Amino acid sequence: MRQRNEAELVKKYFHYLFSEYGFTIIDVKYFEDFSNWVAVLTSDKYRLRFLEDRGTVTLAIGPLWDPPGWDAGPWFDLSFVIAYLNQEPFAWDYDVLAPAEPQIERLSHVLRPYMDQICTVFSPDAFPEHHDELRRLWDKWYRDFLNYPAKRL
């Protein structure tokens, strides 16, 4: 079994989540059969979920949820949330062939400029008014997402 350090990589590259936004890691699971992993971070406003599946590390954003597990509640992919914030078409964008560490590092740079907007949209007071629009756009964009060109964030 290999040494797992993905949670430490999240702490290293997303240090600003802990020092500036009050996030804590509440759950880390490793699925050794497939070398996949998931980590859930939470703050007093919303949650983040890192997931590696088939070599691709993704980041999703969700409201506070009870129970707070990695598979509970609505989760919205970071690329989708950025498209929502910028009112642009959704384009799935991940480095599917890169090792986990450079993927995690890249995601940290992509997320940071959007943190204040994400804090506003996913805060407990504001999320209910954004949820229906997020869901509507996800349903619309998901139906057509294979037709959208790839775009680097």
Side-chain angles (χ1 to χ4, degrees), residues 61-124:
I61 303 153
L64 296 177
W65 207 260
D66 187 25
W70 70 274
D71 57 348
W75 291 102
F76 297 94
D77 180 80
L78 176 62
S79 297
F80 173 77
V81 171
I82 290 171
Y84 173 76
L85 294 172
N86 293 330
Q87 296 299 298
E88 296 176 343
F90 169 53
W92 196 268
D93 180 35
Y94 288 99
D95 294 326
V96 296
L97 299 177
E101 184 167 1
Q103 291 185 69
I104 293 167
E105 180 180 16
R106 180 173 173 273
L107 286 170
S108 74
H109 297 297
V110 171
L111 175 66
R112 190 164 197 165
Y114 294 97
M115 282 300 297
D116 291 337
Q117 289 175 279
I118 291 169
C119 284
T120 299
V121 169
F122 284 87
S123 71

Side-chain angles (χ1 to χ4, degrees), residues 41-62:
L41 285 63
T42 190
S43 73
D44 62 345
K45 296 186 185 291
Y46 61 98
R47 301 175 300 154
L48 298 172
R49 180 183 69 191
F50 296 84
L51 175 69
E52 182 177 7
D53 183 26
R54 297 178 207 155
T56 301
V57 179
T58 60
L59 174 57
I61 303 153

